[in-house]
Amino acid sequence: MNYSQRTSLKIEGTAKKNWGETFDMISWFRPEVVQNAKVMVVGAGALGNEVLKNLALLGVGNIVIVDFDTIEYSNLSRSILFREADCVSDRHKSEVAAERVREINPNVKTKHIHGDIWLDVGLGVFRRMDVVIGCLDNRLARKFINRHCYMTGKTWIDGAIENLAGQLDVYKPWVTCYECQLTETEERIIQMRMGCPDIAVRNSNFGRIPTTPISSSIIGALQVQEALKVIHHFDDKVMSGQQFKFEGMNNMILLIPSLGLKEHCESHVSIGEVVEANNLSAHSTVEELTRWLMEHFGTRDVAACLDYQVILEIYAEHSDQSYQLVLPKPHFSDAIARQYQKVPGEGIAITDSIDEITPDFKVPTAKLYELGIPPLQILAVRANGQFHYVELTGDENFLSFER
């Protein structure tokens, strides 16, 4: 080993040691707990940038970053992690944010997921997190996070910003619930966006929301503060049950009691015990899945239930042609429909679809990911009339963190 290599190792070791000692004077801060923590951040825009920066500075050891977008020039005035060169190359927000987090703190490991929170992030990923932080700009994505966190028993921290204002909510299963607080108007907007077949449109804003780096800094800092409490299990200190509102123009801060839980809410579902299927992954075929389920539960009466439709056949009305395919309905966009139009504007009808996977599935060689099932998904399985939850644990390496 030459001198420069020895020096580099010495500097790196010193940096890691000093970083670990930075917060030792804070009586309640436990570096080993923070270093081993797993935090998912959904949304890498202005608010997500501030959250990720703070998590990196605090040395949170493992961070999953989920975002659907690419970086645009308009992001640069509010996003500390992005650069002009990132816009030119149309880079994904999640990937660039992960790189910059590791540059800030080389002790932090990251996993980035470029995709839709509904179809591209398995429940097994949520299950392995200590806390989830939402940095989103639409209600539909919040609803999915809320449901996934309820199912896996995880607390999630929601932030929202506009102009010089912002708010924060901490949703803890069976204590507070995002869906329970939605108004009828907000529910209608969500239903409209759920009905939209194009993921890009579902994830985009209907009109841009004006934000500033000031409000994102304030709300992002508070989100990470609450996340630290969750990580340290300071349950009595976490801001669940109260909504924090900040109005910067007049320097007003309000703490408003959260609305109580509704008696009937579709978010209030817990998956309970999970069966870990080490031989199954998102790359398994339908045949491999159904065979495993029949062997494990000792019956042919098995079905993996989906919360969306999988399209198996479409029909072009003008040209009178049918086409066989395997495609999750949420992924069926206008662009895909145009591929099957022989005449501009020709009507395309869905003539066959399913919402469960059984041993009689028409395309047994189809891969599970082709049906919209992400890595580490936990499937709701019906066997002899009883429901069970089966995880694709063969995807364990999917959640390998990059240093």
Side-chain angles (χ1 to χ4, degrees), residues 190-354:
I190 288 175
Q191 290 303 318
M192 177 183 67
R193 298 186 75 175
M194 283 189 73
C196 176
D198 195 327
I199 282 185
V201 175
R202 287 209 324 270
N203 284 275
S204 66
N205 283 323
F206 289 109
R208 291 187 178 275
I209 298 175
T211 60
T212 69
I214 299 171
S215 55
S216 58
S217 293
I218 294 169
I219 299 301
L222 286 169
Q223 285 182 281
V224 174
Q225 175 179 275
E226 294 305 299
L228 278 180
K229 296 176 188 177
V230 175
I231 290 168
H232 282 87
H233 300 289
F234 296 154
D235 296 341
D236 59 332
K237 302 296 184 183
V238 177
M239 203 187 301
S240 56
Q242 296 185 90
Q243 184 178 83
F244 175 94
K245 286 183 174 287
F246 170 77
E247 198 280 291
M249 184 61 71
N250 299 296
N251 295 320
M252 294 177 59
I253 294 176
L254 297 174
L255 282 177
I256 304 171
S258 302
L259 297 177
L261 301 181
K262 295 179 180 177
E263 185 176 354
H264 302 289
C265 175
E266 294 184 10
S267 278
H268 300 173
V269 176
S270 176
I271 59 177
E273 184 179 354
V274 175
V275 178
E276 296 184 348
N278 294 304
N279 296 329
L280 294 177
S281 74
H283 283 80
S284 298
T285 64
V286 168
E287 184 179 18
E288 289 168 338
L289 169 66
T290 54
R291 186 191 311 124
W292 189 95
L293 294 177
M294 288 188 292
E295 291 175 357
H296 182 84
F297 294 108
T299 178
R300 182 176 169 78
D301 181 21
V302 295
C305 304
L306 306 173
D307 58 358
Y308 54 88
Q309 295 282 323
V310 174
I311 302 171
L312 299 178
E313 183 183 77
I314 59 174
Y315 173 72
E317 297 173 349
H318 182 81
S319 53
D320 191 28
Q321 289 189 21
S322 294
Y323 301 92
Q324 311 299 313
L325 66 163
V326 176
L327 184 72
K329 188 176 179 181
H331 283 177
F332 187 65
S333 64
D334 291 340
I336 291 177
R338 283 194 292 272
Q339 296 176 18
Y340 297 92
Q341 292 173 338
K342 302 302 181 183
V343 178
E346 179 178 17
I348 301 293
I350 297 171
T351 50
D352 189 14
S353 64
I354 54 96

